[in-house]
Amino acid sequence: QIDDLAEVDYSLNSLPAVFPPFIDLDLKGAVVPAGNYTGSPYVAASFTIPDQSDSMLYLAFSEYFFQTSSFAYYTAGAFNMTLAEETCSYFNINTEIFGSIIPEVAKYSVTPYPVMLKLMATEIPVINLEQDSFTVEIQGSMEVLAVLPDSTTQSLFTLNIAANTSISLNIFDQKLMGSLCLNRLQFSLAHSNVGSFEVLLLENILSYILQTEVIPSANGK
């Protein structure tokens, strides 16, 4: 078991192949939802490891392993999260901030209120392996809610989100390191209680914040 959400199901595809210089194990491994395994929507494709003999152990993972990981955590709801009022207030995110970007919000909410953000993945994230890196395609949504004085919430609007990120892998100081890059971030308006509005300015601002603040901070850890 990996954690409370997922576990690894693995088995040998064939008998171990024993040679004088090495042993070859052909394993099929999939990450599945913990306690709720109903079968993977993906089909594992066989692959081979290039012949090398200068290290004691070689491991290789196919896209299938990462795709089943994405499926398991998506099924378990791991990609759904709520940024509570306290978190948004810490970053000074409120209706006044959104109103300065979206005039319709300013007209709808004259009094500044704290906000709450609900983020969720609407499709299974797609992972593609490339040489020395991999990309992740994410389809999701973000609902912005105003937190009223009586602690109830009022939905302001919901955005569809399409994002493409890539992670470059390299070895530094005998450690496998990853460098995150945001390739694309696109918004579209799914629903609004404040009226229709253009999302391009909000998209550009959030993309700028992610690329100049959030991602460099993540890569520095």
Side-chain angles (χ1 to χ4, degrees):
Q1 186 164 332
I2 300 173
D3 52 31
D4 293 338
L5 301 179
E7 56 192 30
V8 178
D9 178 53
Y10 61 92
S11 60
L12 278 170
N13 279 335
S14 59
L15 291 173
V18 181
F19 302 94
F22 64 89
I23 298 176
D24 192 359
L25 297 177
D26 184 11
L27 291 165
K28 177 183 178 181
V31 180
V32 298
N36 188 31
Y37 182 48
T38 57
S40 169
Y42 306 103
V43 177
S46 60
F47 67 99
T48 58
I49 301 176
D51 290 334
Q52 299 185 52
S53 58
D54 55 348
S55 294
M56 182 177 178
L57 177 66
Y58 289 94
L59 289 175
F61 298 91
S62 68
E63 282 187 356
Y64 174 80
F65 182 81
F66 294 101
Q67 287 169 341
T68 57
S69 300
S70 180
F71 168 74
Y73 283 102
Y74 172 82
T75 302
F79 301 120
N80 302 337
M81 65 185 72
T82 298
L83 299 183
E85 172 189 346
E86 294 78 12
T87 303
C88 292
S89 296
Y90 177 80
F91 291 101
N92 295 318
I93 303 174
N94 52 34
T95 56
E96 187 175 21
I97 291 295
F98 279 107
S100 66
I101 303 170
I102 306 167
E104 287 76 9
V105 172
K107 296 175 184 177
Y108 183 86
S109 177
V110 178
T111 302
Y113 292 121
V115 298
M116 183 169 65
L117 305 180
K118 288 187 176 181
L119 304 170
M120 66 178 297
T122 54
E123 297 180 14
I124 302 171
V126 177
I127 299 174
N128 295 303
L129 297 185
E130 301 175 359
Q131 186 173 0
D132 300 325
S133 67
F134 61 91
T135 62
V136 182
E137 292 275 355
I138 302 170
Q139 301 288 333
S141 68
M142 179 178 73
E143 183 181 11
V144 180
L145 304 99
V147 181
L148 304 180
D150 60 0
S151 297
T152 61
T153 59
Q154 174 64 55
S155 177
L156 299 178
F157 57 87
T158 302
L159 299 174
N160 293 321
I161 302 173
N164 178 286
T165 63
S166 61
I167 300 178
S168 300
L169 302 175
N170 57 78
I171 296 176
F172 178 74
D173 196 21
Q174 298 184 339
K175 295 180 181 179
L176 181 63
M177 308 291 288
S179 179
L180 178 64
C181 176
L182 178 65
N183 301 322
R184 186 181 72 253
L185 179 67
Q186 293 180 322
F187 289 161
S188 62
L189 187 62
H191 175 75
S192 174
N193 289 321
V194 302
S196 181
F197 59 87
E198 292 292 332
V199 300
L200 185 59
L201 180 58
L202 180 61
E203 177 185 304
N204 289 339
I205 290 174
L206 289 181
S207 180
Y208 175 80
I209 292 173
L210 287 171
Q211 298 204 53
T212 60
E213 299 293 337
V214 177
I215 291 177
S217 176
N219 287 336
K221 293 182 178 180

